[in-house]
Amino acid sequence: MTQQRRLNLVLELVSERGTVSIAEVGDALGVSTATVRRDLNLLAEQRLLTRTHGGASALGSGYELPLQYKIARQSEAKTAIARAVAELVAPGDAVALNGGTTTSEVARVLGSSEALGGGDAPGVTIVTNALNIAFELSVREHVKIVVTGGVPRRQSYELVGPLVASSLRDLSVDLAVLGVDGLSGRFGATTVHEGEAEASRHMAAVARRVVVAADSTKLGRSTFARICALEEVDLLVTDRPAEEAVAAELAAAGVEVVVAPA
């Protein structure tokens, strides 16, 4: 196991449990107590957790892990979702992508798509507020990149603020593909940060079709900031059928559901 992956796993444990002991981390990762101590000290120096006597604790209940430390949970599911989303994109389309692990995977699939390559005109235009997506796709000849204005958030590499809206005001895109932290009937599509929610909301407003790309762990839950109501979502692409109550909410809101093949 690489050090980076081990650090990711430590942060995931702390995030999930709130407080962990050295012994708990050692047992979960199968490493020595000395290794755990070094990892906890390193993460504490980077202000990603608080070191305690005999362990560590999360910085706060609302703390959000930086994107580079997020393990792609349900990674196979996210890849399947990304492939299914790519099937919705036709040559010449303009697609808005917000930030996140799922939309980053969508960007990779679009960037490597042979169906969208060839010809003099761009195979696809990507409009994004995510700096990591823009950087990764900037070397793809068949992709035209449009980056919104805004101020970057360290946790997610997403640009936020009023410049996002002004950048998007005169644009029109075929699809807005949104990664979310929650999707429910009562609160709609949600994320953890209000600035990111606002940016995603502006993307949805200039799109002919709004697609939420979310694995099944996001369904039926809500987080702090609303992006849009469920009725404003045209299509959900996910990895497995929703539970009965959530499926009923989606149907009532007129949301089409695509379950990505494994």
Side-chain angles (χ1 to χ4, degrees):
M1 183 187 302
T2 65
Q3 182 190 43
Q4 184 63 58
R5 178 165 176 78
R6 197 172 64 244
L7 293 174
N8 287 349
L9 289 169
V10 171
L11 285 171
E12 288 287 340
L13 283 173
V14 174
S15 178
E16 290 173 358
R17 302 182 186 183
T19 301
V20 296
S21 68
I22 290 174
E24 287 174 333
V25 176
D27 290 343
L29 274 61
V31 296
S32 68
T33 57
T35 298
V36 174
R37 288 193 182 93
R38 285 195 298 270
D39 288 347
L40 294 181
N41 289 338
L42 176 59
L43 292 170
E45 290 172 3
Q46 297 176 357
R47 299 184 181 180
L48 295 171
L49 51 73
T50 299
R51 191 74 162 84
T52 63
H53 180 70
S57 63
L59 294 179
S61 59
Y63 180 67
E64 177 189 0
L65 288 180
L67 185 66
Q68 68 267 34
Y69 282 100
K70 288 183 179 178
I71 295 175
R73 294 180 178 179
Q74 311 290 327
S75 59
E76 293 182 1
K78 292 177 190 293
T79 301
I81 290 169
R83 289 172 179 159
V85 170
E87 292 293 323
L88 305 172
V89 180
D93 277 355
V95 180
L97 292 175
N98 66 357
T101 54
T102 304
T103 50
S104 294
E105 192 62 35
V106 171
R108 292 186 188 102
V109 174
L110 293 176
S112 60
S113 172
E114 294 183 0
L116 298 175
D120 296 328
V124 64
T125 297
I126 300 295
V127 180
T128 187
N129 70 322
L131 294 177
N132 64 306
I133 288 176
F135 177 78
E136 187 163 337
L137 292 182
S138 62
V139 298
R140 301 292 186 176
E141 292 184 357
H142 68 283
V143 179
K144 176 182 177 181
I145 291 288
V146 178
V147 184
T148 71
V151 178
R153 292 192 66 232
R154 291 183 299 105
Q155 290 86 346
S156 65
Y157 306 138
E158 286 190 68
L159 299 168
V160 299
L163 289 175
V164 177
S166 62
S167 301
L168 294 170
R169 187 172 296 126
D170 296 325
L171 300 182
S172 173
V173 300
D174 298 285
L175 295 176
V177 180
L178 305 178
V180 302
D181 293 306
L183 188 70
S184 67
R186 181 177 180 185
F187 295 104
T190 57
T191 190
V192 297
H193 188 268
E194 64 279 5
E196 292 178 4
E198 182 181 25
S200 297
R201 186 159 54 247
H202 289 303
M203 288 184 180
V206 299
R208 295 185 180 89
R209 199 176 189 199
V210 177
V211 177
V212 167
D215 66 73
S216 56
T217 64
K218 311 292 178 59
L219 306 184
R221 64 179 296 229
S222 61
T223 52
F224 176 67
R226 177 183 286 183
I227 297 170
C228 63
L230 193 60
E231 290 77 10
E232 297 175 61
V233 176
D234 296 298
L235 176 68
L236 166 67
V237 181
T238 188
D239 61 309
R240 63 179 64 181
E243 294 181 359
E244 185 175 347
V246 178
E249 291 177 336
L250 293 166
V255 179
E256 181 186 352
V257 179
V258 170
V259 177

